[in-house]
Amino acid sequence: MDAQSRGRADDIDPADQWVLNPHTGNYELRLDRSAGESPAATRTATAEDSGRRGDARPGSPESPRGEVPGQRSRRSSQSGGRGAEASAAGGAGRRKRKAPKARRKKALMWTGGVTAFLVVSAGVGAYLLYDRLNGNIDTVDIGKLGNKNVLSDGPMNILIIGTDKRTGKGNEGYGDKGSTGHAETTILFHVSEDRSNATALSIPRDLWTDIPDCETKQPDGSTKVIPGISGERFNVSLGQEGRDPGCTMQTVEDITGIRPDHFMMVDFNAVKELTTVIGGVEVCMAKKINDPKSHLQLPKGPSKVHGEEALALLRTRHSFGNESDLDRIKVQQQFLGSMIREMKSSGRLTNPKELFDLADVATKSLTVDQGIGSATKLMTLAQEIGKVSPKNITFATVPVKDNPAEPTPITVVVDEPRAEPLFAMVRSDTSLTAVKKKEKAAKSAQAALLKGPKAEPADVRVDVLNGGEIAGAAGATVTWLQNQQGVPKSTNKANAPEKIKKTTLEYAPNQADQARALAEMMGLPATAMKQGTADAEGLEAMVLTLGADFKGAGIPITGPAKAPEDIQRASADKAVCAK
């Protein structure tokens, strides 16, 4: 037959037009009505018909219905006259049913289309969620301060600032009216280089200290230098005179010698809303609490707090200990430890909906530096911090004593003999928690470089370069070595070609005894030792390059191996009842 007689029926196998109707359990023949079939041509194959036909399939010679239009024409077009032979053979000429390619093709097209739609929809949804979270986050340009990258190869220091900014419904009773917020709760969160442990160091708001000059970015893009103050409460490092979080970061670095990489600032609303969305935070009181000033009422023993009650707990200073800010810090640390345990154990961080609700609430009250100023950057940072187990997160407070300049002390000052070893431990990335580590052979070999005989100070030859942040550090170190350590053969070589993060001491194998002697004087870690392969000739000197970890002549680069016993500290994995 010619093409006209085939029509569209030849494009679709009629056998493939029999479809199971799931509602009736019957097969229905759906012919192509565009080829001239009327609706009446569609018939139902009942169970009785099927039994009568036996093996007969729709469209076969035994089928009780007539030849499907177009079927004969297609058969006659088979090569070798197979169509005619099949007609003569009757039932023996039944053709073998072909695989339903058209149906599979349609199914694949439909499945592919739905999959594509879901992927696009998910992408649009993810973008909308991402865009919403980004819109929640406020950022502050802190100029040259901090780290422009989200993560660093070494340890990370994040300054967490809780302000008394009075925004949001129900916060009228807190803080100074009209204030942009002070640094009321400040924690320097140090995450170790290997992410095995972290130290959360609280800085008292009433610490009497110097506030350094600081540069702040203005709305028009210009830079304004805000003069420092000699002697003031730490909490005014933020807010007053237009000081931004960058000023607080600089103040913290001046106090501790630890440089923050990023800051995260939250206000009252963050505490109220975050504790509500996670279903409350479990706390424990050593006694019944009834504070008329903060309206805090809690029973003795464990209970859960959220919203206004959680904020009151963190703000009160009249319900615990001697009603000082130091006792309030202890309660805040216990509260944060409980929140960390809740977040880790509840599965909220793996539930997409709860995670989004959490992120939505958290970011609405969050201000950060531009280095972490997006949802994806914050997620990256959170995932990195999340590697640390709560049992290896230690809370500590800067050791302080009453301000001796005040007849009736209302502020405190840093207790240097107790504080400096603690600062040195954080600077050298030494954990306050006993972290079990598998010591690798490479580390053992490196540590062995510090063991062995040491040269006399007078025999040590060293050139000192400054690759750190402190101007004149090389000259100051040489003066210290010559005058206080008895190393006359030390030479100031000024600035290094480039800045480096960690101090290094390069020496030849036949200078090992000199290197060990200098390492002991400087308090260098084993990782600072860089032994060459060829011996030094004649009067060749070693090369000491001071890095960003160098804090001053006479200040050991490494901290104590163990924290002082008398510092206040607590572990995030242990519940303690507030007293």
Side-chain angles (χ1 to χ4, degrees):
M1 270 190 188
D2 58 19
Q4 287 183 347
S5 65
R6 287 199 303 269
R8 291 186 57 189
D10 193 41
D11 296 332
I12 302 175
D13 190 341
D16 291 341
Q17 300 304 298
W18 287 85
V19 184
L20 177 66
N21 186 329
H23 300 293
T24 65
N26 300 326
Y27 283 89
E28 296 178 359
L29 178 60
R30 301 181 185 277
L31 296 178
D32 186 355
R33 296 175 185 173
S34 67
E37 292 292 332
S38 67
T42 299
R43 62 165 294 180
T44 300
T46 64
E48 182 180 355
D49 292 335
S50 299
R52 190 165 54 245
R53 287 193 303 268
D55 293 7
R57 64 170 179 78
S60 73
E62 283 111 59
S63 176
R65 64 183 175 84
E67 185 80 15
V68 177
Q71 178 111 4
R72 186 179 298 110
S73 66
R74 184 169 57 206
R75 288 179 181 173
S76 65
S77 67
Q78 301 291 332
S79 63
R82 280 168 26 196
E85 293 173 8
S87 298
R94 297 176 195 163
R95 67 180 174 83
K96 189 176 180 181
R97 182 175 181 179
K98 297 180 180 179
K101 294 181 180 178
R103 185 185 302 169
R104 286 203 306 270
K105 184 177 180 181
K106 287 182 178 179
L108 288 172
M109 289 175 63
W110 186 87
T111 304
V114 171
T115 302
F117 174 76
L118 291 176
V119 169
V120 172
S121 297
V124 171
Y127 173 77
L128 292 176
L129 296 180
Y130 170 79
D131 192 53
R132 174 171 168 177
L133 294 179
N134 271 351
N136 290 344
I137 303 169
D138 289 328
T139 61
V140 173
D141 184 353
I142 53 175
K144 300 177 182 178
L145 299 175
N147 190 344
K148 303 311 174 187
N149 298 319
V150 179
L151 306 178
S152 61
D153 296 333
M156 294 190 304
N157 299 305
I158 300 110
L159 191 64
I160 302 171
I161 308 171
T163 76
D164 58 355
K165 187 175 181 180
R166 293 170 28 142
T167 59
K169 184 178 180 181
N171 294 329
E172 296 81 5
Y174 302 105
D176 297 333
K177 186 175 182 179
S179 170
T180 56
H182 301 111
E184 290 296 291
T185 300
T186 305
I187 298 174
L188 182 60
F189 196 77
H190 171 87
V191 184
S192 67
E193 181 173 1
D194 62 5
R195 310 305 188 240
S196 68
N197 65 89
T199 299
L201 188 61
S202 294
I203 302 173
R205 66 181 292 280
D206 293 329
L207 178 67
W208 194 258
T209 188
D210 293 338
I211 310 295
D213 295 347
C214 64
E215 291 186 353
T216 60
K217 291 287 185 177
Q218 303 302 301
D220 61 0
S222 63
T223 299
K224 178 181 178 181
V225 176
I226 300 177
I229 308 173
S230 180
E232 183 55 274
R233 274 187 171 89
F234 170 80
N235 71 332
V236 302
S237 63
L238 175 71
Q240 286 192 334
E241 308 298 331
R243 295 186 180 89
D244 63 17
C247 299
T248 306
M249 292 172 72
Q250 287 181 258
T251 305
V252 168
E253 184 174 2
D254 280 5
I255 294 170
T256 65
I258 304 164
R259 184 174 189 177
D261 293 297
H262 303 290
F263 81 85
M264 301 175 70
M265 184 168 67
V266 295
D267 58 24
F268 288 151
N269 281 341
V271 175
K272 293 165 63 174
E273 296 181 15
L274 195 58
T275 54
T276 298
V277 79
I278 66 173
V281 176
E282 188 169 293
V283 295
C284 182
M285 302 294 113
K287 62 180 181 180
K288 182 179 179 180
I289 303 298
N290 186 3
D291 181 11
K293 292 188 176 181
S294 66
H295 307 293
L296 178 64
Q297 295 185 13
L298 292 174
K300 180 180 178 180
S303 60
K304 272 198 169 185
V305 296
H306 63 84
E308 197 70 42
E309 195 173 43
L311 181 58
L313 174 64
L314 297 179
R315 291 286 299 165
T316 184
R317 57 193 305 174
H318 302 290
S319 302
F320 307 103
N322 61 4
E323 302 187 9
S324 71
D325 184 50
L326 298 178
D327 287 298
R328 178 168 62 179
I329 286 175
K330 294 178 184 177
V331 175
Q332 292 172 349
Q333 292 174 347
Q334 292 163 12
F335 179 90
L336 290 174
S338 181
M339 181 178 282
I340 291 172
R341 294 193 299 272
E342 168 68 21
M343 299 291 287
K344 282 275 190 177
S345 64
S346 65
R348 285 185 174 86
L349 299 182
T350 58
N351 182 305
K353 182 184 182 304
E354 292 195 19
L355 182 59
F356 173 74
D357 291 342
L358 193 63
D360 190 35
V361 168
T363 52
K364 283 179 180 176
S365 302
L366 189 65
T367 302
V368 299
D369 61 278
Q370 293 179 332
I372 53 174
S374 73
T376 52
K377 290 179 179 180
L378 283 173
M379 183 61 72
T380 299
L381 182 62
Q383 289 173 339
E384 195 75 359
I385 295 173
K387 295 177 181 178
V388 184
S389 170
K391 68 179 181 180
N392 293 330
I393 299 176
T394 304
F395 289 96
T397 305
V398 172
V400 295
K401 61 183 180 181
D402 288 341
N403 188 347
E406 297 173 341
T408 304
I410 56 174
T411 62
V412 293
V413 295
V414 175
D415 187 347
E416 294 290 349
R418 295 169 57 227
E420 183 49 41
L422 177 59
F423 298 157
M425 288 188 72
V426 177
R427 289 195 298 263
S428 64
D429 198 25
T430 304
S431 175
L432 297 185
T433 308
V435 181
K436 293 182 180 180
K437 301 180 182 179
K438 293 181 180 179
E439 190 173 26
K440 297 180 180 179
K443 287 188 175 182
S444 298
Q446 189 70 24
L449 296 176
L450 293 174
K451 297 177 182 179
K454 300 178 180 66
E456 292 297 321
D459 295 328
V460 173
R461 293 179 177 273
V462 61
D463 292 338
V464 183
L465 292 85
N466 183 17
E469 304 294 334
I470 303 174
T477 298
V478 167
T479 299
W480 176 77
L481 286 171
Q482 291 178 349
N483 296 339
Q484 298 189 38
Q485 301 300 310
V487 184
K489 299 169 185 176
S490 52
T491 307
N492 175 14
K493 293 293 184 179
N495 292 330
E498 60 183 3
K499 300 287 185 182
I500 60 173
K501 290 184 177 181
K502 295 185 178 182
T503 297
T504 61
L505 176 59
E506 300 172 79
Y507 62 97
N510 61 345
Q511 296 173 322
D513 58 341
Q514 297 181 50
R516 286 189 284 266
L518 185 63
E520 184 176 62
M521 297 176 205
M522 299 284 299
L524 298 179
T527 53
M529 310 290 280
K530 307 297 179 184
Q531 181 174 286
T533 56
D535 283 345
E537 298 180 0
L539 302 179
E540 186 177 349
M542 300 182 295
V543 178
L544 174 68
T545 306
L546 306 175
D549 57 350
F550 177 78
K551 301 305 173 185
I555 300 177
I557 300 221
T558 59
K562 190 177 180 181
E565 294 294 335
D566 59 347
I567 66 168
Q568 182 274 320
R569 58 180 172 174
S571 176
D573 71 326
K574 295 179 180 178
V576 180
C577 292
K579 299 180 180 180

